[in-house]
Amino acid sequence: MTRHFNFCAGPAALPTVVLERAQQEMLDYQGHGLSVMEMSHRSSEYVAIAEKAEADLRSLLAVPDNYRILFTQGGATQQFAAVPYNLLGNGGTGNYFETGIWGKKAIKEARHLFGAAHVAASSVDSGNTEIPREEAIQLSEDAAFLHITTNETIGGLAFDYTPCAVRPDGVEIPLVADMSSDILSGPLDVSRYGVIYAGAQKNIGPAGLVLVIVRDDLLDRARSDMPTLFSYRELAEAGSMINTPATYSWYLAGLVFEWLRQDIGGLEAMAAINARKAAKLYATIDASKLFSNPVAERNRSRMNVPFVLADDRLDADFLREADEAGLLNLKGHRSVGGMRASLYNAVPEEAVDALVTFMNDFEQRRG
Ligand SMILES: *Cc1c(COP(=O)(O)O)cnc(C)c1O
């Protein structure tokens, strides 16, 4: 058996030791005589798994006590609707950073459901290569929240600061962040946010699970006309078990949290590894005449590194040879073309070393 290096943007690589542990526990979970997939979500065995996962996540991110953690479903995409449903109960308009494809989709959904969404800052003029600075934010007078995408997974564009969300009348509004592709990549000050959400399949676990971290005073701002399953309050009160949760994805996420705590040594240590990985790849790109990345240095993502070849006729050969070298899923998103290497937590430093060696060799032969 060979596990290749997987640079997929999502569903993405999982730590091999986590998969091995899941394999060991697959048929007979800790002597209970059945697999986690086959357990009732109400059983004491499963509730223990769920609670341990939450406790480990709380400790990893140092989540303050006045925040609830929800383990829900529907992808990050469902949160594009759930956020305004949960936060526009007292009226007002959602305010958004437009920084790339995911930010745009969140705006589109808010407009579709509620007729309005205000773009408070946009990186469109820079071709989504630079995040607008904090001074450029223009909140609407009726802003109810400010939504950002901390890491645009397709453009490889990441925030280098946490915006302050204060309306022209001086009222501070909750900051909402889609952290689908960079949560757990390093330490985070949760207290700066009202709502954080993230689909699992990038940096948390398998697809099918979405994490929401919400400050408890915001549970009172929901519209009454929303589907029950969207409701942060209902989810919080039911321990994320209004209905059957994504039990196996939740269990596997728990194993990933344990891996981050025990094997990696926490998020400071993870951040240092991620910084080294990204630095190696950007250094290779910047030293090359064949490869380039357009993103402003301060906003370069450590998780998703898009790059293009100077001659796109070489793209197909690059991808084929990379595949043959055991470097998988380097094709860029269909909307932008080129290449993209996703360097999530579970992508080991050796994968980046192998990629860099391959890129240098390819340039020498074909550049
Ligand atoms: C992948 C991704 C999404 C969409 O996630 P789904 O789970 O497929 O709905 C949204 N936002 C960001 C930043 C992403 O990376």
Side-chain angles (χ1 to χ4, degrees):
M1 186 201 69
T2 317
R3 277 177 60 75
H4 294 314
F5 291 130
N6 181 12
F7 299 94
C8 193
L14 285 161
T16 299
V17 291
V18 163
L19 294 175
E20 282 168 348
R21 167 93 178 267
Q23 182 182 40
Q24 271 165 26
E25 295 181 337
M26 173 67 80
L27 294 181
D28 175 7
Y29 176 75
Q30 297 188 0
H32 294 291
L34 76 178
S35 85
V36 174
M37 270 180 256
E38 301 165 300
M39 284 179 185
S40 163
H41 57 293
R42 312 270 180 211
S43 65
S44 56
E45 296 90 312
Y46 189 78
V47 170
I49 291 170
E51 285 175 351
K52 163 100 168 47
E54 175 172 343
D56 278 348
L57 179 63
R58 229 172 233 290
S59 138
L60 272 172
L61 284 174
V63 178
D65 287 344
N66 62 325
Y67 282 74
R68 303 297 191 89
I69 301 180
L70 314 176
F71 291 78
T72 182
Q73 298 181 62
T77 303
Q78 183 164 290
Q79 293 305 311
F80 298 161
V83 164
Y85 266 125
N86 278 280
L87 298 182
L88 293 183
N90 304 332
T93 303
N95 278 224
Y96 290 80
F97 257 76
E98 183 183 39
T99 45
I101 286 171
W102 293 115
K104 258 197 161 72
K105 287 195 182 199
I107 293 167
K108 194 172 163 207
E109 186 72 341
R111 288 194 173 135
H112 165 65
L113 290 169
F114 302 109
H118 171 77
V119 175
S122 174
S123 57
V124 167
D125 287 347
S126 73
N128 293 326
T129 59
E130 190 161 7
I131 300 273
R133 302 211 185 243
E134 193 157 25
E135 309 83 77
I137 302 174
Q138 292 192 311
L139 297 181
S140 66
E141 278 173 23
D142 67 344
F145 62 82
L146 175 62
H147 179 284
I148 64 173
T149 309
T150 47
N151 182 70
E152 284 280 359
T153 319
I154 293 169
L157 186 69
F159 271 79
D160 55 337
Y161 69 96
T162 306
C164 237
V166 180
R167 254 178 7 203
D169 62 2
V171 172
E172 186 167 359
I173 55 170
L175 182 63
V176 176
D178 176 357
M179 294 195 185
S180 293
S181 51
D182 64 346
I183 195 165
L184 298 173
S185 62
L188 174 67
D189 182 357
V190 172
S191 72
R192 299 287 307 273
Y193 299 86
V195 180
I196 291 168
Y197 65 89
Q201 68 273 22
K202 280 70 183 249
N203 234 357
I204 296 169
L209 174 74
V210 180
L211 284 183
V212 178
I213 304 174
V214 53
R215 208 172 63 220
D216 55 17
D217 65 287
L218 300 177
L219 300 177
D220 290 332
R221 297 196 186 180
R223 292 173 58 98
S224 56
D225 60 352
M226 97 175 113
T228 309
L229 283 175
F230 285 26
S231 165
Y232 296 159
R233 169 173 289 288
E234 302 260 5
L235 282 161
E237 285 176 355
S240 301
M241 295 192 190
I242 298 173
N243 66 335
T244 316
T247 52
Y248 199 75
S249 296
W250 190 336
Y251 153 75
L252 222 86
L255 296 186
V256 170
F257 302 153
E258 211 173 293
W259 168 76
L260 280 169
R261 289 191 68 186
Q262 290 177 7
D263 298 39
I264 299 294
L267 296 186
E268 298 272 1
M270 192 71 252
I273 297 170
N274 285 332
R276 278 205 307 272
K277 281 153 53 183
K280 282 180 182 175
L281 183 49
Y282 283 116
T284 301
I285 291 169
D286 290 344
S288 146
K289 291 195 170 61
L290 180 61
F291 308 110
S292 63
N293 165 290
V295 176
E297 209 170 314
R298 71 184 175 92
N299 294 127
R300 281 177 158 185
S301 167
R302 288 179 175 178
M303 294 285 99
N304 311 98
V305 183
F307 58 93
V308 294
L309 276 61
D311 179 355
D312 65 11
R313 287 170 304 184
L314 292 174
D315 284 6
D317 284 354
F318 180 89
L319 287 167
R320 185 179 39 76
E321 290 184 26
D323 222 66
E324 285 164 9
L327 306 168
L328 307 184
N329 291 311
L330 287 164
K331 195 173 165 58
H333 189 267
R334 59 186 188 280
S335 63
V336 292
M339 309 298 154
R340 173 176 49 170
S342 293
L343 311 181
Y344 299 123
N345 289 349
V347 174
E349 200 161 348
E350 305 86 75
V352 179
D353 293 339
L355 174 59
V356 160
T357 302
F358 169 77
M359 287 168 70
N360 286 330
D361 176 62
F362 187 89
E363 178 163 9
Q364 222 159 41
R365 287 184 293 109
R366 310 293 302 274

